mmCIF file of all heavy atoms in Angstrom:
data_model
loop_
_atom_site.group_PDB
_atom_site.id
_atom_site.type_symbol
_atom_site.label_atom_id
_atom_site.label_comp_id
_atom_site.label_asym_id
_atom_site.label_seq_id
_atom_site.Cartn_x
_atom_site.Cartn_y
_atom_site.Cartn_z
ATOM 1 N N ARG A 172 88.675 51.227 70.862
ATOM 2 C CA ARG A 172 87.456 50.411 70.882
ATOM 3 C C ARG A 172 86.242 51.177 70.310
ATOM 4 O O ARG A 172 85.465 50.692 69.533
ATOM 5 C CB ARG A 172 87.168 49.970 72.294
ATOM 6 C CG ARG A 172 86.029 48.902 72.355
ATOM 7 C CD ARG A 172 85.779 48.460 73.775
ATOM 8 N NE ARG A 172 86.989 48.007 74.443
ATOM 9 C CZ ARG A 172 87.527 48.623 75.495
ATOM 10 N NH1 ARG A 172 86.942 49.709 76.052
ATOM 11 N NH2 ARG A 172 88.630 48.184 76.041
ATOM 12 N N VAL A 173 86.151 52.461 70.645
ATOM 13 C CA VAL A 173 85.050 53.269 70.110
ATOM 14 C C VAL A 173 85.174 53.413 68.603
ATOM 15 O O VAL A 173 84.199 53.332 67.848
ATOM 16 C CB VAL A 173 84.985 54.644 70.791
ATOM 17 C CG1 VAL A 173 83.936 55.542 70.110
ATOM 18 C CG2 VAL A 173 84.608 54.487 72.257
ATOM 19 N N ILE A 174 86.398 53.662 68.151
ATOM 20 C CA ILE A 174 86.616 53.792 66.674
ATOM 21 C C ILE A 174 86.235 52.522 65.960
ATOM 22 O O ILE A 174 85.504 52.547 64.973
ATOM 23 C CB ILE A 174 88.108 54.171 66.411
ATOM 24 C CG1 ILE A 174 88.471 55.476 67.074
ATOM 25 C CG2 ILE A 174 88.335 54.232 64.904
ATOM 26 C CD1 ILE A 174 89.934 55.809 67.059
ATOM 27 N N VAL A 175 86.722 51.381 66.460
ATOM 28 C CA VAL A 175 86.415 50.107 65.828
ATOM 29 C C VAL A 175 84.932 49.831 65.846
ATOM 30 O O VAL A 175 84.332 49.450 64.847
ATOM 31 C CB VAL A 175 87.182 48.970 66.512
ATOM 32 C CG1 VAL A 175 86.642 47.610 66.046
ATOM 33 C CG2 VAL A 175 88.636 49.053 66.220
ATOM 34 N N ASN A 176 84.271 50.079 66.963
ATOM 35 C CA ASN A 176 82.818 49.791 67.101
ATOM 36 C C ASN A 176 82.045 50.658 66.109
ATOM 37 O O ASN A 176 81.077 50.187 65.480
ATOM 38 C CB ASN A 176 82.332 50.062 68.503
ATOM 39 C CG ASN A 176 82.702 48.907 69.447
ATOM 40 O OD1 ASN A 176 83.019 47.775 69.030
ATOM 41 N ND2 ASN A 176 82.691 49.163 70.751
ATOM 42 N N ALA A 177 82.444 51.918 65.964
ATOM 43 C CA ALA A 177 81.682 52.778 65.047
ATOM 44 C C ALA A 177 81.905 52.355 63.594
ATOM 45 O O ALA A 177 80.969 52.211 62.798
ATOM 46 C CB ALA A 177 82.117 54.241 65.226
ATOM 47 N N LEU A 178 83.160 52.110 63.223
ATOM 48 C CA LEU A 178 83.477 51.836 61.817
ATOM 49 C C LEU A 178 83.047 50.450 61.383
ATOM 50 O O LEU A 178 82.894 50.221 60.159
ATOM 51 C CB LEU A 178 84.992 52.003 61.596
ATOM 52 C CG LEU A 178 85.504 53.439 61.721
ATOM 53 C CD1 LEU A 178 87.029 53.456 61.508
ATOM 54 C CD2 LEU A 178 84.809 54.403 60.781
ATOM 55 N N THR A 179 82.880 49.516 62.322
ATOM 56 C CA THR A 179 82.569 48.135 61.885
ATOM 57 C C THR A 179 81.288 47.544 62.437
ATOM 58 O O THR A 179 80.793 46.551 61.900
ATOM 59 C CB THR A 179 83.740 47.171 62.279
ATOM 60 O OG1 THR A 179 83.770 47.031 63.698
ATOM 61 C CG2 THR A 179 85.053 47.680 61.732
ATOM 62 N N ARG A 180 80.678 48.178 63.483
ATOM 63 C CA ARG A 180 79.509 47.601 64.093
ATOM 64 C C ARG A 180 78.285 48.480 64.178
ATOM 65 O O ARG A 180 77.178 48.009 64.462
ATOM 66 C CB ARG A 180 79.888 47.122 65.519
ATOM 67 C CG ARG A 180 80.965 46.086 65.629
ATOM 68 C CD ARG A 180 81.284 45.748 67.074
ATOM 69 N NE ARG A 180 80.102 45.227 67.805
ATOM 70 C CZ ARG A 180 79.990 45.244 69.087
ATOM 71 N NH1 ARG A 180 80.911 45.839 69.881
ATOM 72 N NH2 ARG A 180 78.881 44.741 69.684
ATOM 73 N N LEU A 181 78.455 49.764 63.939
ATOM 74 C CA LEU A 181 77.390 50.735 64.177
ATOM 75 C C LEU A 181 76.202 50.555 63.231
ATOM 76 O O LEU A 181 76.365 50.388 62.045
ATOM 77 C CB LEU A 181 77.964 52.166 64.001
ATOM 78 C CG LEU A 181 77.020 53.294 64.249
ATOM 79 C CD1 LEU A 181 76.501 53.295 65.686
ATOM 80 C CD2 LEU A 181 77.709 54.638 63.975
ATOM 81 N N ARG A 182 75.008 50.544 63.847
ATOM 82 C CA ARG A 182 73.788 50.677 63.102
ATOM 83 C C ARG A 182 72.889 51.811 63.661
ATOM 84 O O ARG A 182 72.427 52.673 62.920
ATOM 85 C CB ARG A 182 73.004 49.341 63.131
ATOM 86 C CG ARG A 182 73.690 48.217 62.368
ATOM 87 C CD ARG A 182 72.783 46.971 62.280
ATOM 88 N NE ARG A 182 73.441 45.869 61.592
ATOM 89 C CZ ARG A 182 74.025 44.820 62.221
ATOM 90 N NH1 ARG A 182 74.037 44.780 63.550
ATOM 91 N NH2 ARG A 182 74.576 43.887 61.553
ATOM 92 N N PHE A 183 72.705 51.752 64.961
ATOM 93 C CA PHE A 183 71.815 52.758 65.625
ATOM 94 C C PHE A 183 72.586 53.577 66.659
ATOM 95 O O PHE A 183 73.483 53.028 67.334
ATOM 96 C CB PHE A 183 70.650 52.042 66.338
ATOM 97 C CG PHE A 183 69.714 51.305 65.443
ATOM 98 C CD1 PHE A 183 69.758 49.922 65.336
ATOM 99 C CD2 PHE A 183 68.748 51.992 64.687
ATOM 100 C CE1 PHE A 183 68.887 49.228 64.530
ATOM 101 C CE2 PHE A 183 67.867 51.301 63.863
ATOM 102 C CZ PHE A 183 67.937 49.902 63.778
ATOM 103 N N CYS A 184 72.201 54.822 66.800
ATOM 104 C CA CYS A 184 72.718 55.687 67.846
ATOM 105 C C CYS A 184 71.688 56.743 68.217
ATOM 106 O O CYS A 184 70.717 56.960 67.479
ATOM 107 C CB CYS A 184 74.062 56.294 67.513
ATOM 108 S SG CYS A 184 74.042 57.430 66.125
ATOM 109 N N THR A 185 71.890 57.414 69.315
ATOM 110 C CA THR A 185 71.044 58.505 69.683
ATOM 111 C C THR A 185 71.434 59.751 68.875
ATOM 112 O O THR A 185 72.506 59.796 68.294
ATOM 113 C CB THR A 185 71.177 58.798 71.188
ATOM 114 O OG1 THR A 185 72.479 59.359 71.460
ATOM 115 C CG2 THR A 185 70.966 57.582 72.044
ATOM 116 N N PRO A 186 70.617 60.811 68.889
ATOM 117 C CA PRO A 186 71.045 62.034 68.265
ATOM 118 C C PRO A 186 72.348 62.571 68.778
ATOM 119 O O PRO A 186 73.036 63.302 68.102
ATOM 120 C CB PRO A 186 69.823 63.008 68.543
ATOM 121 C CG PRO A 186 68.658 62.070 68.650
ATOM 122 C CD PRO A 186 69.183 60.836 69.342
ATOM 123 N N GLY A 187 72.681 62.264 70.022
ATOM 124 C CA GLY A 187 73.972 62.714 70.625
ATOM 125 C C GLY A 187 75.132 61.736 70.330
ATOM 126 O O GLY A 187 76.235 62.004 70.800
ATOM 127 N N GLY A 188 74.856 60.656 69.613
ATOM 128 C CA GLY A 188 75.963 59.763 69.233
ATOM 129 C C GLY A 188 76.221 58.617 70.183
ATOM 130 O O GLY A 188 77.240 57.959 70.067
ATOM 131 N N VAL A 189 75.283 58.310 71.104
ATOM 132 C CA VAL A 189 75.436 57.146 71.956
ATOM 133 C C VAL A 189 75.064 55.911 71.162
ATOM 134 O O VAL A 189 73.915 55.841 70.619
ATOM 135 C CB VAL A 189 74.551 57.275 73.225
ATOM 136 C CG1 VAL A 189 74.695 56.020 74.096
ATOM 137 C CG2 VAL A 189 74.937 58.511 74.052
ATOM 138 N N MET A 190 75.915 54.931 71.079
ATOM 139 C CA MET A 190 75.732 53.787 70.193
ATOM 140 C C MET A 190 74.945 52.662 70.886
ATOM 141 O O MET A 190 75.155 52.382 72.059
ATOM 142 C CB MET A 190 77.064 53.219 69.762
ATOM 143 C CG MET A 190 77.901 54.163 68.915
ATOM 144 S SD MET A 190 79.484 53.403 68.362
ATOM 145 C CE MET A 190 80.444 53.547 69.899
ATOM 146 N N ASP A 191 74.044 52.054 70.132
ATOM 147 C CA ASP A 191 73.456 50.780 70.542
ATOM 148 C C ASP A 191 74.064 49.724 69.608
ATOM 149 O O ASP A 191 73.747 49.664 68.444
ATOM 150 C CB ASP A 191 71.912 50.811 70.370
ATOM 151 C CG ASP A 191 71.264 49.525 70.880
ATOM 152 O OD1 ASP A 191 71.855 48.418 70.711
ATOM 153 O OD2 ASP A 191 70.131 49.574 71.366
ATOM 154 N N LEU A 192 74.918 48.859 70.165
ATOM 155 C CA LEU A 192 75.651 47.928 69.375
ATOM 156 C C LEU A 192 75.052 46.528 69.412
ATOM 157 O O LEU A 192 75.630 45.583 68.887
ATOM 158 C CB LEU A 192 77.100 47.880 69.850
ATOM 159 C CG LEU A 192 77.875 49.187 69.680
ATOM 160 C CD1 LEU A 192 79.156 49.183 70.385
ATOM 161 C CD2 LEU A 192 78.048 49.502 68.186
ATOM 162 N N ARG A 193 73.882 46.396 70.011
ATOM 163 C CA ARG A 193 73.194 45.065 70.045
ATOM 164 C C ARG A 193 72.120 44.962 69.009
ATOM 165 O O ARG A 193 71.890 43.878 68.495
ATOM 166 C CB ARG A 193 72.621 44.889 71.457
ATOM 167 C CG ARG A 193 73.646 44.764 72.594
ATOM 168 C CD ARG A 193 73.014 44.488 73.908
ATOM 169 N NE ARG A 193 74.007 44.302 75.004
ATOM 170 C CZ ARG A 193 74.513 45.280 75.667
ATOM 171 N NH1 ARG A 193 74.101 46.534 75.467
ATOM 172 N NH2 ARG A 193 75.431 45.078 76.633
ATOM 173 N N ALA A 194 71.410 46.048 68.699
ATOM 174 C CA ALA A 194 70.302 46.001 67.775
ATOM 175 C C ALA A 194 70.779 45.795 66.377
ATOM 176 O O ALA A 194 71.735 46.448 65.892
ATOM 177 C CB ALA A 194 69.479 47.288 67.863
ATOM 178 N N SER A 195 70.103 44.889 65.650
ATOM 179 C CA SER A 195 70.495 44.584 64.245
ATOM 180 C C SER A 195 69.273 44.503 63.349
ATOM 181 O O SER A 195 69.387 44.000 62.221
ATOM 182 C CB SER A 195 71.280 43.267 64.154
ATOM 183 O OG SER A 195 70.490 42.205 64.647
ATOM 184 N N GLY A 196 68.152 45.046 63.802
ATOM 185 C CA GLY A 196 66.913 44.971 63.025
ATOM 186 C C GLY A 196 66.805 45.996 61.941
ATOM 187 O O GLY A 196 67.761 46.665 61.560
ATOM 188 N N ARG A 197 65.590 46.139 61.421
ATOM 189 C CA ARG A 197 65.294 47.036 60.340
ATOM 190 C C ARG A 197 65.500 48.478 60.800
ATOM 191 O O ARG A 197 65.228 48.845 61.943
ATOM 192 C CB ARG A 197 63.856 46.819 59.842
ATOM 193 C CG ARG A 197 63.633 45.474 59.165
ATOM 194 C CD ARG A 197 62.131 45.235 59.072
ATOM 195 N NE ARG A 197 61.445 46.334 58.453
ATOM 196 C CZ ARG A 197 61.232 46.463 57.148
ATOM 197 N NH1 ARG A 197 61.664 45.538 56.320
ATOM 198 N NH2 ARG A 197 60.575 47.488 56.639
ATOM 199 N N PRO A 198 65.882 49.336 59.845
ATOM 200 C CA PRO A 198 66.057 50.769 60.237
ATOM 201 C C PRO A 198 64.804 51.452 60.668
ATOM 202 O O PRO A 198 64.847 52.448 61.371
ATOM 203 C CB PRO A 198 66.668 51.368 58.982
ATOM 204 C CG PRO A 198 66.275 50.465 57.857
ATOM 205 C CD PRO A 198 66.241 49.086 58.453
ATOM 206 N N ASP A 199 63.631 50.928 60.222
ATOM 207 C CA ASP A 199 62.379 51.567 60.624
ATOM 208 C C ASP A 199 61.821 50.996 61.941
ATOM 209 O O ASP A 199 60.743 51.337 62.357
ATOM 210 C CB ASP A 199 61.329 51.430 59.534
ATOM 211 C CG ASP A 199 61.048 49.958 59.189
ATOM 212 O OD1 ASP A 199 61.783 49.069 59.698
ATOM 213 O OD2 ASP A 199 60.104 49.697 58.380
ATOM 214 N N GLN A 200 62.654 50.156 62.602
ATOM 215 C CA GLN A 200 62.265 49.610 63.898
ATOM 216 C C GLN A 200 63.441 49.832 64.882
ATOM 217 O O GLN A 200 64.005 48.877 65.438
ATOM 218 C CB GLN A 200 61.938 48.127 63.782
ATOM 219 C CG GLN A 200 60.764 47.859 62.880
ATOM 220 C CD GLN A 200 60.524 46.392 62.594
ATOM 221 O OE1 GLN A 200 61.434 45.559 62.786
ATOM 222 N NE2 GLN A 200 59.319 46.037 62.177
#
Side-chain angles (χ1 to χ4, degrees):
R172 191 180 307 116
V173 173
I174 299 169
V175 168
N176 282 342
L178 293 178
T179 68
R180 298 177 61 201
L181 181 60
R182 294 187 181 99
F183 296 103
C184 64
T185 69
V189 178
M190 296 182 283
D191 184 326
L192 297 169
R193 295 182 177 87
S195 59
R197 293 166 51 92
D199 58 353
Q200 299 172 340

